Amino acid sequence: MVSSSVLAIHSANAVCTMEMCSAFSKNGYNTTLCVPKSNHSNEELLAYYGVEHVFDIIQESMPETFIRGGLPGRALVFAVLAVNRLRKMKNHIIYSRNPWFFFILSVLLKRHAIFEAHQFRFNGRIQTAIYRTLIKYSSNSN
C-alpha cells in the first residue's frame, strides 16, 4: 500500500491506512506500507497506532523543503519517489489513494494497481485532466 500521509499524527487517513494494512496482514497477505519518512521508527509507528498484525513499513526520504510544507507538490514528489522504489516489484498488488502515484504507475508505466477515491477533487486544470484520464483509463482496462 502507498500513502502520502504523514504518520505519527492522529488523522483519519493515517489511522485508516494503518488499520487497512493490519487487516491485510491479518488475512495472510505479505503487506508493506510505503510512506514519507518520519522522525519515528517503524516499531514506534506500529505501537502508536496500536497495530495488532505487524507489517513492513518503507519510509521514503523526501527533500526537507517538502517535508516542512514549504513548497506545493509534496504528494507529486512523494509519488515519483514511491513509484521509483516500487516499480521493480513483480507479482504484487499495489493499492493507493494517491492519484499522482496511481497515474504515474498505471497510466504512464502500464502497471496494474488499485486506486481508492472517496471523492474526486478537481482543483485546477492539471488535476482535472489527471482524474479524467484515470476514469477513462480504469473504465477501459481489464
Side-chain angles (χ1 to χ4, degrees), residues 42-58:
N42 292 350
E43 294 76 20
E44 290 172 327
L45 293 172
L46 293 169
Y48 178 81
Y49 290 100
V51 172
E52 292 180 36
H53 300 277
V54 177
F55 50 88
D56 294 329
I57 300 174
I58 297 172

Side-chain angles (χ1 to χ4, degrees), residues 8-138:
I9 60 171
H10 209 71
S11 72
N13 190 40
V15 171
C16 185
T17 297
M18 296 299 277
E19 288 178 355
M20 288 173 59
C21 288
S22 181
F24 288 145
S25 180
K26 176 183 178 182
N27 285 294
Y29 295 100
N30 184 3
T31 305
T32 302
L33 173 62
C34 183
V35 293
K37 188 164 182 62
S38 73
N39 293 328
H40 303 278
S41 71
N42 292 350
E43 294 76 20
E44 290 172 327
L45 293 172
L46 293 169
Y48 178 81
Y49 290 100
V51 172
E52 292 180 36
H53 300 277
V54 177
F55 50 88
D56 294 329
I57 300 174
I58 297 172
Q59 295 194 49
E60 188 63 49
S61 295
M62 297 262 302
E64 188 66 32
T65 306
F66 289 100
I67 293 171
R68 288 182 275 121
L71 292 175
R74 182 179 161 279
L76 176 58
V77 170
F78 173 72
V80 170
L81 294 171
V83 164
N84 189 48
R85 168 76 72 114
L86 302 176
R87 70 185 167 104
K88 298 173 187 132
M89 294 177 126
K90 302 290 184 208
N91 301 321
H92 287 76
I93 297 171
I94 299 177
Y95 180 101
S96 182
R97 295 179 182 165
N98 181 317
W100 295 105
F101 176 82
F102 185 74
F103 179 81
I104 294 167
L105 188 71
S106 65
V107 176
L108 300 180
L109 298 178
K110 307 291 188 219
R111 292 281 309 270
H112 291 285
I114 298 168
F115 175 61
E116 178 187 343
H118 295 266
Q119 67 182 15
F120 291 109
R121 295 184 188 131
F122 295 97
N123 299 331
R125 284 184 263 150
I126 293 174
Q127 212 170 44
T128 299
I130 285 190
Y131 278 126
R132 286 186 177 154
T133 302
L134 291 177
I135 292 166
K136 183 177 177 182
Y137 181 79
S138 65

